[in-house]
Every structure is written in C-alpha cells, then in structure tokens.
Amino acid sequence: MGAGKTGKLEKFLDAKLIPLGNKISSQKHLRAIRDGMVAATPLALLGGLTLIVTSPPVNLDTMKPTNLLFKFLIAWKQWAVANGMQIELLFRASLGMMALFVCLAIAHSLAKSYKLDPVGGMTISAVCFLIASAPSNLGVMSSLIKEQMLGEEILANQSIVMPMAYLGAEGIFTAIVIALLTTEVTRFFKEKGLCIKMPESVPAPVKASFASITPMLVNAVGVFLISLLIQKLSGGLLIPELIKAIFKPLVVAIDSPFGIILISIITQLLWIVGLHGSSIVSGVVGVFELGNLTANAALVTQGLQAEYIYTEPFRAFFMILGGAGATLGLNLLMLRSKSKQLKTLGRLSIVPSLFNINEPIIFGTPLVLNTTFMIPFVLVQTVNALLTYVVMYTNIIGKTFTLVPWTTPAPLGAALSTMDYKAFIWVLLLIVVDMIIWFPFFRSYEKQLVLEEKSTEE
C-alpha cells in the first residue's frame, strides 16, 4: 500500500472509526455491564477452585492403583466423593449466586456514573432482583426428611426457603436488566425532585437513605406487579424464565462456529485500527462467556457433562494464545529473527506473552495499522477457535467449566479449566499451527526491516 493510501486510511480511521469505538467503549450502560462482569471475577475464581478440588479427572471404574500418581488421584477422587457436598458450599456461595453479585456491581457502577448514591442503587436493585428471581415459599429441607416419616411429620418441618435456581448463571440476564432499569428509574426520580429531602443539617448517609425510600417503593412494587402479570399471562413463568427464553437464540448463536468467527473478526479489526478490541467486545459478549461458564460449572456439580463451548477460558486459553491475535507463535519466531528490532522485541516480550500479555508485541512490532500482518492478526486466533470448537464438539477434549486467571500460561490454563490433560497437549499443537500461519508474513516483514537496518548502518 502506498504512502498516500496509507495516509488516507489513517485520516479516515482518525475521523470516523476511532471516535466511534471510543464512544461505544465509554457508553455508560455498556461500561456498567463490563464493570459488573469484572467485579464477579473473584467469585468465579473461588467457584472454579472449588470445582477443581471436587472434580479430579479420575474414573474409579477404570483407573487402577498401579503407580504412585494413580494412587494419589484415586485417593483424591474418593475424598472428593465423600466430602463434595460440604466443599460445594463455597461454589453455591460464589458462582451459585453470581447473578445477584453481578446485579449489585452493575447498579453500583451505573449509579456512580450518574452521581447517585451507589449504596442506595445497589440495595434497590438487589431487592428487585430477589423479588423477580427468587420468590420465597414454604418448603422442607431434604436433610430433615427421614425414612418412615408421615406426611404430617414432614410438613411440620416447613420453613421459608428461597430458591437459588436463578441466582446463578440462569439469572445473569435478569440481573443486568433489573440493575439498569432500577437505576434509571431512581435517576428519573432524583432529576424530577420526587425523592424525600432532608434538611442540610442531617448527616449525608441519613439523607441518602431517606432519598432512596420513594425509588425503592416504586421499583420494588413495580417489579412485583410485573412479575405477577407475567406469571398470570405465561402460565407461571418467572421473569428470569421469560428473559432466558428471549435470549436463548442469541446464546445459541454465540456458542456456534459462526458466532465465534464473528466475535474473533470484530475484535481483531478493532485492534488493527488501534482500539482495545478485547475490552470493547467483552462489554457485549462478556455476559455470555461468564454465563456459559457458570452454566457448565453447575452441570458438572450435578454430575453431568458441560454443555457450552464458548466461555471466557475458551477464549483465553484456546483462542488468544499469548494475547489478542494469538501472537505467542509470532513472538517465538521473533526470538530467532535476522532483524535486530524483531529479535530484541521478541526477547523483551516473551515472558509477558507466556502470561497472555501482548501489548509490547501489538504496539512494538507494530501490528496496529500494519498491512503486512493484518491477515494473520485476524486469522490465527480464528483458526484456533474453530479447531478447538471441533475437538470439543466431538468430545476429544473436555469443555471448560472452571475459571482460571487469564494470566495463567495457556497450556496449563487449558488443562485446569477443563480438568483434561489432553487440553494441555492440544494447546501445544495449536501454538505450532500458529507459528506456521504467522511464518510467511513474518518472513516478509522481517526482510523489510533487515533492508532498512542495513541501509541505516551504511
């Protein structure tokens, strides 16, 4: 591409695309959703750690104690079976209630952006979410039911129980809707001066508490009435069940080869023009990644097979090996480059790349607005995704169901997130494939730099 065309392209990007990308990434509601997903990460890590402990990759029917490693794995499995229910309390209190905490975090972020009381916003959204998603009822704990009990004896143990079915992954979409809606209603009441006002001499926390009374009543009663109306018209469906049905086609589309290709291409095109594509796209699809992972985790705790393929660990440890664009393969090629610039950059970047941090590669090579690398920068991680989709869909390797920190080296992260040793080997094979795809483009760019370096020396 000539210098004139390159200049025109940069001017177009500066004038049109980059401002649009910045506007999208700073949009209040999308930023609040992204903040909510990020705030839930520690919960997902705790739940993921719990699943790793309670789900050793062992089949007691086929594995025999023929060596020290197998003896350890069998003992671990037997211990997990005996103590799994008690340990899973950590899962139920974290991933099992993910939607509630996401709701709180989104409401907090959006309220702060509007300069509202964040604590009041969190409280209102949490109350409304529980009204919509976990209507309490009378029930009997299974642990209190004994053999030979009569019906009257069982009913005597009734207590108020709150179902948790929609406090986890199944309720994330509802959490988002409730958090955004209740915060907007609260903002409306504040802007219209419809909140209870206290004298200036009253302490700020007390004033904020009284100011939340009217929005709380309107939001809570409104959600309650809407829930009753939906149950009446739908034959008993709760709000989360209705929202789940509405979003089901989108979930299916994203967890498909077409959806994964689209997500990958859009992300990398944003990176090419200098925007943080991962951050922008995750604000939209992050909820699906986390929701799919949490749903897989819930299935595994029930002794079932994970269902969804596209999750956050899938993207982190199978798609973007070394960082956005799967640049670890390129970084490895740089280590033996004939270009001094690329070789030095490769050595400086290799350690961060092993931990999925590749900004030095993206901006140091550079890959941004670099026409030589545009094709592999989009293609490599897309190929990784499609190949991995096939091996997971055909059950050659397991699907991800635990959240491991994204900075974990990819082969190890892949093995831990699936609890399948074959995932470790698969990622090593993907890195080789990535190097093969990067190689011809790398050689072309290397030749350009070598010529430039020689001319400079002369």
Side-chain angles (χ1 to χ4, degrees):
M1 183 179 289
K5 291 183 178 179
T6 302
K8 290 180 180 179
L9 175 61
E10 291 180 358
K11 288 180 181 179
F12 172 75
L13 295 174
D14 289 340
K16 302 294 182 181
L17 290 186
I18 291 178
L20 177 61
N22 290 332
K23 188 174 182 180
I24 292 173
S25 63
S26 62
Q27 204 279 330
K28 284 184 170 62
H29 300 89
L30 289 179
R31 189 170 66 234
I33 294 172
R34 185 172 65 246
D35 290 347
M37 297 298 107
V38 171
T41 300
L43 301 170
L45 290 173
L46 175 58
L49 178 62
T50 304
L51 289 178
I52 290 173
V53 172
T54 58
S55 306
V58 178
N59 187 333
L60 294 177
D61 296 328
T62 58
M63 183 174 285
K64 305 301 179 184
T66 54
N67 56 57
L68 186 61
L69 175 61
F70 285 4
K71 287 180 181 179
F72 168 75
L73 291 174
I74 290 170
W76 177 11
K77 181 69 173 183
Q78 291 172 338
W79 176 84
V81 170
N83 300 280
M85 283 300 295
Q86 290 84 357
I87 300 171
E88 282 177 13
L89 173 61
L90 296 173
F91 172 85
R92 294 191 294 273
S94 53
L95 270 177
M97 299 184 72
M98 175 70 72
L100 175 60
F101 295 114
V102 166
C103 183
L104 289 166
I106 292 174
H108 181 276
S109 176
L110 188 58
K112 281 189 67 177
S113 70
Y114 285 137
K115 294 183 171 51
L116 301 174
D117 172 34
V119 176
M122 292 168 66
T123 305
I124 293 170
S125 67
V127 170
C128 293
F129 176 70
L130 292 175
I131 290 172
S133 305
S136 57
N137 209 329
L138 285 173
V140 180
M141 298 286 289
S142 60
S143 59
L144 299 178
I145 302 176
K146 309 296 181 183
E147 291 186 14
Q148 310 301 325
M149 265 189 171
L150 299 176
E152 292 181 357
E153 294 175 306
I154 294 174
L155 293 177
N157 290 308
Q158 285 187 128
S159 59
I160 298 293
V161 296
M162 181 177 290
M164 292 183 61
Y166 294 104
L167 298 185
E170 300 287 328
I172 286 180
F173 291 125
T174 305
I176 294 172
V177 173
I178 291 290
L180 298 179
L181 181 62
T182 56
T183 305
E184 288 295 341
V185 170
T186 302
R187 180 171 74 98
F188 173 82
F189 271 77
K190 180 181 179 182
E191 290 181 349
K192 299 301 180 181
L194 301 176
C195 299
I196 298 175
K197 297 180 180 179
M198 301 295 288
E200 290 297 325
S201 58
V202 174
V206 177
K207 286 196 292 185
S209 178
F210 273 84
S212 296
I213 292 176
T214 306
M216 170 71 81
L217 290 173
V218 173
N219 276 304
V221 173
V223 170
F224 176 67
L225 293 177
I226 291 172
S227 180
L228 291 180
L229 180 61
I230 289 174
Q231 292 177 58
K232 179 74 173 177
L233 296 177
S234 65
L237 288 180
L238 294 175
I239 291 177
E241 293 173 308
L242 179 63
I243 292 178
K244 179 183 175 183
I246 293 171
F247 279 98
K248 183 64 175 177
L250 189 55
V251 173
V252 173
I254 287 177
D255 193 52
S256 69
F258 172 78
I260 292 171
I261 290 172
L262 187 62
I263 291 168
S264 179
I265 291 175
I266 291 175
T267 302
Q268 293 313 107
L269 289 178
L270 290 170
W271 271 113
I272 285 172
V273 300
L275 297 172
H276 199 296
S278 304
S279 177
I280 294 171
V281 174
S282 66
V284 179
V285 303
V287 60
F288 296 97
E289 294 177 347
L290 189 57
N292 288 350
L293 180 69
T294 310
N296 282 351
L299 289 170
V300 171
T301 61
Q302 299 168 29
L304 302 173
Q305 294 293 321
E307 176 182 354
Y308 298 100
I309 292 176
Y310 184 73
T311 64
E312 184 176 335
F314 175 89
R315 175 171 55 84
F317 303 126
F318 294 97
M319 281 180 66
I320 58 170
L321 305 179
T327 58
L328 180 57
L330 175 62
N331 200 157
L332 292 172
L333 292 173
M334 287 181 174
L335 294 176
R336 298 182 63 83
S337 176
K338 296 176 183 178
S339 164
K340 294 179 181 179
Q341 175 185 329
L342 293 181
K343 191 171 185 177
T344 302
L345 179 62
R347 289 176 174 176
L348 293 173
S349 304
I350 188 61
V351 173
S353 288
L354 292 174
F355 294 91
N356 288 331
I357 298 170
N358 69 336
E359 276 78 3
I361 292 289
I362 288 178
F363 298 106
T365 306
L367 298 179
V368 174
L369 291 176
N370 189 326
T371 55
T372 303
F373 283 128
M374 279 185 181
I375 291 176
F377 196 38
V378 175
L379 179 63
V380 175
Q381 76 171 36
T382 306
V383 170
N384 288 346
L386 289 176
L387 292 177
T388 304
Y389 186 94
V390 171
V391 297
M392 285 187 175
Y393 185 81
T394 54
N395 295 315
I396 295 174
I397 64 173
K399 300 178 181 68
T400 58
F401 63 90
T402 67
L403 184 64
V404 180
W406 62 270
T407 50
T408 305
L412 180 59
L416 291 174
S417 62
T418 59
M419 291 303 286
D420 185 348
Y421 72 91
K422 296 190 297 296
F424 186 98
I425 300 171
W426 174 249
V427 170
L428 295 179
L429 293 174
L430 286 178
I431 293 172
V432 174
V433 172
D434 293 353
M435 292 178 70
I436 293 171
I437 298 174
W438 278 109
F439 183 73
F441 302 93
F442 165 76
R443 289 288 289 173
S444 175
Y445 190 62
E446 181 187 52
K447 289 177 182 177
Q448 297 176 40
L449 292 185
V450 168
L451 290 175
E452 290 177 7
E453 290 169 1
K454 285 183 176 179
S455 63
T456 301
E457 290 175 357
E458 293 173 359

